[in-house]
Amino acid sequence: MAFSIRNLVLGVTGGVAAYKAAELTRLLVKAGVGVRVVLTEGGAQFVTPHTFQALSGRHVFTNLWDTRVPNGMAHIDLSREAGAILVAPATADFMAKLVHGTADDLLSTLCLARECPLIIAPAMNRQMWENPATQRNVKQLRQDGVIILGPDSGDQACGETGMGRMLEPEDLMELLDAAFQPKVLRGQKVMITAGPTFEKIDAVRGITNQSSGKMGFAVAKAARDAGADVTLIAGPVSLPTPAGIRRIDVESAQDMLQAVNAGITLQDIFIGVAAVADYHPLQQFEHKLKKDANILHVELAPNADILANVASLPRPPFCVGFAAESQNLLDFAEQKRKKKHLPLLAANLVQTAFNSDENELVLLDDAGRHHLPKSDKLTQARQLIAHIAKLMQHGNPTTPVKHIDQSA
Ligand code: PMT
C-alpha cells in the first residue's frame, strides 16, 4: 500500500517510549518514507543517534548549531523538505513547550518554524497525563491544529497502569496514514457488516464460510479514515478491532440482522460486506450429536436478507452491496444490484476475494462498470469509499423503495 507521506521529520523526545521510535523508524523506511530523525537531548539519553542513523540510513540531528548544515539553518531546511513532523514520543514537557512556542532546541525550533502538519504521539506516566496542566495543553494543541495520536492505556514503565502509554509503532503507522486521507465522509454515519456468519447445528458444529473479515474491516478503516463515524458488525473472525471504530460481534445471520436493525435508522450509509449464510438449520441441538452409521439430515430454512431489508426501509441509508461469484461475475452481480435496488455494488471473484490480503473489485452503478486494479484490500476499500462519496455528492438517489425481490 502506498503510504500517504513521502518525507517525514521524526522528533524523539526524552521518554522511555523512545525505544518504540526505533521500530517506528524501521516501519516508516520499509513503507518507503524518507525519515529525518531529530533527537532532543533527553531523547538521546534513551536511544543513541547511531541507532536511528542505522535504521533511517540518514544523518541524525541533535543540535541547533549543527555544522553539517551549510547555511547553519537546520531548523528551516529540515521542515521545508518534510511532508509532516511527527514527534513520538512527545513528553509532557515537550507538549508544554509547543503550547508556549518555546524554541530552545532544534526540535522545538523546527516545530515553530514549520509550514507542514505537526503530529504528536504523547507518552508519559498516567498522573502526568491526567494532570490539569497537561489536559489544558492537549486542548490548546488541538485548537492550534496539532494532530494528537493516542496515548493508549495499559501497563506503564513506572509500574502503574493507566492512560499515557505511547501507541505501538504499527498502530501509529496506521493512524498517521489515516490522518492524511481526504475526509470525504466527514460527519457521515456508516454501518458495515463483515466476515462470515455461523449457523449452529449442535454444541460444536455449524455452517459457515471462508470469509476472513479482512475486506469488511478494510472498508471500516477506509470509512473511518475518510472522517466517518463507523459501526462495524462482525461475524466470527479473529481480527483486532481497528482504533476509533465501534465494533459489535455477532454469530448468526439472525444476530447480525438484529444488530443492524438496532442502529440502522441513525445511519447515512450501509455497506454489506459480510458473507451472510443464506440458510440456517431449522433445528439446533443444545448438546453434541452422537455419531452413528446413519445419514444425518439437516433441514435448512432461509435467512432474512439483511441488505435487502435495509434497502427497503421507508428512508433507507445509501446502500452498498458486495457480491462474490465464481463465474459470470459481472452479469450475476448486476442482477443482484438490480434485484436489491442498490445504487452501488462491488463485485469480486470468489477465487481472489475470500481470505486473501488482496482483491480486485468491479464497482457497478447506474453509470456502468468501474474496475479497480488488483491491490491490497485497504487500497481497494479507499477507492470504494471515494466512489461512494462521489455518488452521494452528485445527488445519486438513495435506494429507491419499490418491490424488493429478496430471493437473490
Ligand atoms: O472476508 P474476506 O475474506 O476478506 O472476503 C471478502 C468477501 C469475499 C466476503 C467480500 O468481498 C464479499 O464479496 N462479500 C459478499 C459475499 C456474497 O457473495 O454475498 P451474497 O451474494 O450472498 O450477498 C450479496 C449482498 O447481500 C452482500 O452485500 C451481503 O452482505 C448481503 N446479504 C446477503 C445475504 C443475507 N442474508 N443478508 C445480506 O445482507
Side-chain angles (χ1 to χ4, degrees):
M1 190 190 69
F3 204 74
S4 50
I5 306 169
R6 304 311 309 152
N7 289 298
L8 182 87
V9 168
L10 175 62
V12 181
T13 68
V16 68
Y19 79 92
K20 291 188 187 175
E23 172 64 358
L24 182 62
T25 306
R26 192 186 70 78
L27 293 176
L28 284 163
V29 171
K30 196 172 156 210
V33 183
V35 185
R36 292 257 182 224
V37 178
V38 177
L39 270 173
T40 63
E41 206 184 323
Q45 295 291 325
F46 287 92
V47 185
T48 71
H50 304 294
T51 306
F52 288 108
Q53 183 169 341
L55 291 168
S56 69
R58 294 176 173 197
H59 284 302
V60 170
F61 294 82
T62 54
N63 188 342
L64 193 53
W65 315 110
D66 199 319
T67 50
R68 289 170 305 182
V69 182
N71 62 3
M73 293 196 201
H75 61 295
I76 304 290
D77 284 5
L78 284 167
S79 67
R80 290 279 146 82
E81 288 168 8
I85 300 175
L86 167 66
V87 182
T91 58
D93 174 60
F94 192 75
M95 286 167 62
K97 270 188 185 181
L98 287 176
V99 166
H100 292 285
T102 306
D104 61 356
D105 63 6
L106 178 57
L107 186 59
S108 55
T109 311
L110 252 177
C111 290
L112 204 58
R114 79 184 195 280
E115 282 176 349
C116 61
L118 174 60
I119 303 125
I120 63 168
M124 64 199 72
N125 157 274
R126 83 175 165 82
Q127 277 155 333
M128 292 170 83
W129 174 253
E130 285 162 10
N131 191 294
T134 305
Q135 289 307 308
R136 269 198 308 276
N137 290 342
V138 168
K139 203 168 154 201
Q140 185 59 53
L141 288 171
R142 286 213 171 99
Q143 272 173 21
D144 292 347
V146 176
I147 300 169
I148 303 179
L149 303 181
D152 204 356
S153 139
D155 294 342
Q156 301 203 308
C158 56
E160 294 186 12
T161 303
M163 201 70 171
R165 280 165 59 102
M166 189 172 100
L167 288 172
E168 293 305 317
E170 289 82 5
D171 296 334
L172 265 180
M173 287 288 289
E174 194 178 307
L175 293 178
L176 183 64
D177 194 35
F180 288 89
Q181 296 306 313
K183 305 298 170 210
V184 290
L185 294 186
R186 196 191 295 282
Q188 302 278 339
K189 288 193 176 353
V190 182
M191 181 181 274
I192 295 156
T193 63
T197 61
F198 182 83
E199 312 298 327
K200 194 172 159 185
I201 296 174
D202 69 9
V204 292
R205 302 178 181 94
I207 300 170
T208 188
N209 60 65
Q210 288 184 317
S211 169
S212 61
K214 288 177 191 172
M215 190 68 234
F217 276 55
V219 173
K221 285 181 191 174
R224 172 203 65 191
D225 298 352
D229 173 354
V230 181
T231 303
L232 176 62
I233 300 179
V237 295
S238 55
L239 298 174
T241 308
I245 286 174
R246 192 178 311 105
R247 172 176 177 170
I248 301 170
D249 284 319
V250 295
E251 189 174 271
S252 66
Q254 180 59 24
D255 298 340
M256 191 173 269
L257 176 72
Q258 276 172 9
V260 168
N261 285 346
I264 196 64
T265 52
L266 301 172
Q267 305 300 319
D268 301 297
I269 300 169
F270 177 75
I271 311 175
V273 194
V276 185
D278 290 318
Y279 299 93
H280 66 273
L282 206 51
Q283 197 180 0
Q284 295 178 4
F285 298 90
E286 193 189 341
H287 296 290
K288 187 180 169 193
L289 291 172
K290 288 288 160 210
K291 188 172 73 176
D292 63 26
N294 296 323
I295 291 174
L296 174 68
H297 291 278
V298 180
E299 264 194 302
L300 299 176
N303 284 326
D305 190 315
I306 302 166
L307 176 61
N309 279 356
V310 173
S312 65
L313 286 171
R315 295 182 61 207
F318 185 92
C319 286
V320 181
F322 266 69
E325 305 291 344
S326 56
Q327 55 175 335
N328 296 337
L329 174 67
L330 299 179
D331 290 345
F332 287 166
E334 185 60 14
Q335 283 169 26
K336 274 184 191 168
R337 186 177 90 85
K338 292 258 162 68
K339 275 188 174 162
K340 298 191 191 192
H341 295 265
L342 304 173
L344 180 62
L345 183 135
N348 46 200
L349 276 170
V350 165
Q351 300 87 319
T352 39
F354 271 90
N355 199 15
S356 68
D357 291 330
E358 293 190 321
N359 206 353
E360 188 174 355
L361 295 174
V362 181
L363 308 184
L364 307 176
D365 61 21
D366 290 344
R369 298 166 177 179
H370 314 267
H371 175 236
L372 308 183
K374 191 171 182 180
S375 61
D376 64 274
K377 284 184 171 169
L378 185 56
T379 302
Q380 295 277 312
R382 283 189 174 152
Q383 289 172 278
L384 171 68
I385 291 296
H387 198 80
I388 293 171
K390 205 170 70 183
L391 289 182
M392 291 182 73
Q393 202 183 9
H394 292 127
N396 192 290
T398 50
T399 317
V401 189
K402 285 185 192 139
H403 169 69
I404 306 287
D405 182 341
Q406 304 200 356
S407 61

